[in-house]
Structures are given as structure tokens and as C-alpha cells.
Amino acid sequence: MRILVPFEATRPKTRLDGVLDGDERAAFARAMLRDVLRACLDADHDPEVVATAPVSLDLSVPVAVDDRPLSAAVNDRLATATDPLGVVVADLALVTPAAVDRLVDAAVDADVAIAPGRGGGTNALVVSHPDFRVDFHGVSYRDHRRVARDVAADVAVVDSMRLSTDVDEPADLAEVVLHGEGEAAAWLRERFALDAGEGRVGLRRRE
Amino acid sequence: MRILVPFEATRPKTRLDGVLDGDERAAFARAMLRDVLRACLDADHDPEVVATAPVSLDLSVPVAVDDRPLSAAVNDRLATATDPLGVVVADLALVTPAAVDRLVDAAVDADVAIAPGRGGGTNALVVSHPDFRVDFHGVSYRDHRRVARDVAADVAVVDSMRLSTDVDEPADLAEVVLHGEGEAAAWLRERFALDAGEGRVGLRRRE
């Protein structure tokens, strides 16, 4: 399946600025992007980066530069798609080929498969319905359910921790260290260790 | 399957004290507990509450009072179990019968099935191995993986957003409003609305 992976190439992961400096955020964001692309490739799909600026990745995956807002860039491609089209966000550092396949499998019997992200977001979709369009702004999970109702598209929701864990905030980094299996997790583990206190675990920078 | 549901009956959900007062925390915790029990019952399992103090629930589910720490109370029951034994924490307000079944199904080919919780916790287990014991203190997901290795138990990890979302912190409440299907979600929606700003959605109390 063709899977779009949108990527903010210019100022990625600004909400991690209390923990990672600008160069680190850029390196970590690219590591996560490569993890997502490798998971798609390993599951025998055809990922395609849609980036806001040119990005070099060392992977044989096409990169389209599209400086429009994310939703417009995706909807333009949905409008001309003749086969089911996947969209997976670039910051899913826990994604595995099995998780990608759960998304794709969920789409077999539904017009739209959605993997919600933490905090009301949408982390992955497969769209088979000709009239469904995305809007990633705001509480996009709720909005995508509404759009699906409006165009009478059946929805399958994918219940996956790996797909729901987009990495936006410092607390998310601990999830990557705990459960990640790819380049982004290795990158983080070199620099940070788990820091267990009361409640949920955090990270501390290695000396 | 017999499924233990441990419940802190005396001072539940203290980390929600910035958002809910004491009576509300008690009511909300019981609503989540009932949701977990109903999901187990609807999936045709046999849940059993292990509570730190007597609790009345209006459901025909046995309640054992055990004032030992959670891990000791669970391990005592593991030591005498002859069949696979499930453990599901009481604050999984997103749980559904299908999510319970994914846990139980994962245990068919493994000695231990584990559903990780956010922040390094363990939200659900099925234990078939005679020597496996739990320790819910600290980064219990990592510790349970280590215990499994030590006793040579095969582990299956269940990739479920519904099972990974325990409700401990204010940000978790938005997940319940967004994705919950039971009593706890209805209780919250009566009192709170989604509050979308930048980034992840939060809640605001209704007027």
C-alpha cells in the first residue's frame, strides 16, 4: 500500500525544546522518520515522504517537497488516489511492521481505518472512501470521526499503543526508551537513562 | 478466565487531586472499577476484586479484602493458581471486552502476557507460568520482563492503547472523554468538556 509520511523538516519537535537542543531535535526527528519508513518497508508497503523542505535520508524512499499545510498536502493526494491510501505521522518511534500491518488490515473491511494518537490526535489512517478528507488541526480524531459520518464512511479504529504514541512531549521520550526497537530508541538510550521516581518513569540525561 | 482486579479502596487516584475533589475521586474510581469488571464479564471471564478495604459495587462479582500491598496480594493468589490467572488494574477506563480478549488471546501461546501501561507500568497480565511473580512497584514493565527472563517464561506483549491507558494523571482524563465507552466516561462527560488548544487536548470543567 502507498503510505504518505508527512514530515515537518524545518522546525521539527519544538515541544521537546526543554529537553533536546535544536540540533538534537533535528537528528531525533529524522531518526524517528527513518524508523517509520523502515517499518513500512519491512511490512512490504510503499512509503513516501511529504516534507515541508528537502530532506536527505539514506533510504530509497521518494521525498516530495510540499510546503502547504499538512492537511492540504494530504488531501491533494487523497483527491487523486485510485487505491486505498495510508498516512502515518513521522514521529511514531514505537512503530513496528506488525503495527503497520494492523492498520492496513483494519482497512480491509472499512472505508477509513484510524489509529488515534494521544490527546485527540490522529496518528495513522488508511482511506478507501473517495470523499473522505483529513483535517489534522485541533482534535483531529474527533473531527475525522465526524467527517466519516458526514460522507457515510465506515470507520475501523485501531487499538494500538505503538500507533497511539506519537512523540511530542518530554514524557513521550520515556515510552521510546522503554518500548522502541529502532534507531530513535537507540539514539535516545545513548543520551538518556530511565529515571524512576513515584508514578510514571521519566528520563535523566546521562553524564 | 479468573481475572483479579486489584482496587485501592481507601485513597484512590490521589494524583487527580488537582482536578477532582476527594468525593469525586472516590466516585470516579468506582465507576472505572465497574467498567473494568463489566468488560471482563461481557467477555465471559470471571473477575474478582481484591480491595484494600470493603467496597460495595452493585455487581455480582466477588470482593476479597486484602490489606497487604498489591504485589503481595496478587502473588499469594498466583502461588496457588492451577489455571492461567489474569490481573487487570482497576483504572482502565477505556477497556472493552475486545481489549480483554486480546489480552487473554495473547496468553494462549505465551507463559506470560503483558499489557504495558504508560510510563513503564504494567496494566494487565495473564500468568500461566508457575514461577512468575509480580512486582508492581517502580518500572514494573521492565521488571516483569526481567522476572520472565529469570524464570524462562515466554512473554507476549499486548499492543493496545485501551489497555495501556491507565488513568492516573489529569491528562489521562481527556483520553477517557475521547475514547471511553462506559460509566466512567459518562461520569466525566457530565462534568467536563474537551478543551482544545495547541497540542494535545485537555478538559475544562463545565459551568
Side-chain angles (χ1 to χ4, degrees):
Chain A
M1 181 180 289
R2 183 182 170 210
I3 298 179
L4 307 178
V5 182
F7 183 65
E8 162 57 54
T10 318
R11 293 182 63 241
K13 300 289 111 197
T14 50
R15 280 190 278 158
L16 295 177
D17 64 358
V19 183
L20 302 177
D21 69 27
D23 288 348
E24 287 177 326
R25 293 200 301 277
F28 180 61
R30 275 162 180 71
M32 292 199 288
L33 171 60
R34 279 190 293 262
D35 283 339
V36 170
L37 297 172
R38 283 190 203 103
C40 293
L41 291 168
D42 289 351
D44 277 327
H45 299 295
D46 303 309
E48 184 179 319
V49 179
V50 181
T52 53
V55 55
S56 127
L57 287 171
D58 259 345
L59 283 175
S60 52
V61 168
V63 177
V65 175
D66 193 322
D67 60 4
R68 289 175 293 178
L70 168 57
S71 302
V74 170
N75 283 334
D76 191 50
R77 288 159 174 85
L78 280 174
T80 56
T82 50
D83 292 318
L85 181 63
V87 183
V88 176
V89 299
D91 59 354
L92 297 191
L94 304 192
V95 79
T96 56
V100 172
D101 273 336
R102 285 191 52 216
L103 172 74
V104 170
D105 291 347
V108 170
D109 295 318
D111 298 320
V112 181
I114 304 181
R118 189 149 172 99
T122 302
N123 284 356
L125 292 150
V126 174
V127 178
S128 314
H129 193 287
D131 299 325
F132 184 89
R133 294 294 177 271
V134 299
D135 179 358
F136 284 99
H137 194 76
V139 188
S140 67
Y141 174 72
R142 188 182 53 180
D143 296 342
H144 287 146
R145 298 292 304 251
R146 186 183 301 140
V147 171
R149 271 197 304 278
D150 289 349
V151 301
D154 296 332
V155 172
V157 178
V158 185
D159 175 26
S160 165
M161 184 194 73
R162 291 188 177 277
L163 295 177
S164 71
T165 308
D166 49 327
V167 179
D168 273 329
E169 301 182 354
D172 305 326
L173 297 175
E175 304 302 319
V176 182
V177 169
L178 282 160
H179 303 291
E181 300 177 3
E183 178 185 341
W187 187 96
L188 266 186
R189 287 185 194 117
E190 268 178 31
R191 290 162 180 82
F192 294 90
L194 291 177
D195 187 17
E198 290 304 300
R200 292 178 179 159
V201 72
L203 296 184
R204 60 181 164 71
R205 202 177 271 266
R206 294 185 190 278
E207 302 292 312
Chain B
M1 181 178 289
R2 182 181 170 210
I3 298 179
L4 307 178
V5 182
F7 184 65
E8 162 57 54
T10 317
R11 293 182 63 241
K13 300 291 111 197
T14 50
R15 280 191 277 157
L16 294 177
D17 66 356
V19 183
L20 302 177
D21 69 29
D23 288 347
E24 287 177 327
R25 294 200 300 277
F28 180 61
R30 276 162 180 72
M32 292 198 288
L33 171 60
R34 279 190 293 262
D35 283 339
V36 170
L37 297 172
R38 282 190 203 104
C40 293
L41 291 168
D42 289 352
D44 276 327
H45 298 296
D46 302 309
E48 185 179 319
V49 178
V50 181
T52 53
V55 54
S56 127
L57 286 171
D58 259 347
L59 283 175
S60 50
V61 169
V63 177
V65 175
D66 194 322
D67 60 4
R68 288 176 293 179
L70 167 59
S71 301
V74 169
N75 283 334
D76 192 50
R77 288 159 176 84
L78 280 174
T80 57
T82 50
D83 293 317
L85 182 62
V87 183
V88 176
V89 300
D91 59 354
L92 298 191
L94 305 192
V95 77
T96 55
V100 172
D101 273 337
R102 284 191 53 214
L103 172 74
V104 170
D105 291 348
V108 170
D109 295 319
D111 298 319
V112 181
I114 303 182
R118 189 150 172 99
T122 302
N123 284 355
L125 293 149
V126 173
V127 179
S128 315
H129 193 288
D131 299 325
F132 184 89
R133 295 292 177 272
V134 299
D135 180 357
F136 284 99
H137 195 76
V139 188
S140 68
Y141 174 73
R142 190 182 53 181
D143 296 341
H144 287 145
R145 298 292 303 251
R146 187 184 300 141
V147 171
R149 271 197 304 276
D150 290 348
V151 302
D154 296 332
V155 172
V157 178
V158 185
D159 175 26
S160 165
M161 183 193 75
R162 292 189 176 278
L163 296 177
S164 72
T165 308
D166 51 325
V167 179
D168 274 328
E169 301 182 353
D172 304 325
L173 298 175
E175 303 302 320
V176 183
V177 169
L178 281 160
H179 302 291
E181 300 178 2
E183 178 185 341
W187 187 96
L188 267 186
R189 287 186 193 118
E190 268 176 30
R191 291 163 180 81
F192 294 90
L194 292 175
D195 187 18
E198 289 304 301
R200 291 177 180 160
V201 71
L203 296 184
R204 59 180 164 73
R205 202 177 270 268
R206 295 185 188 278
E207 302 292 314

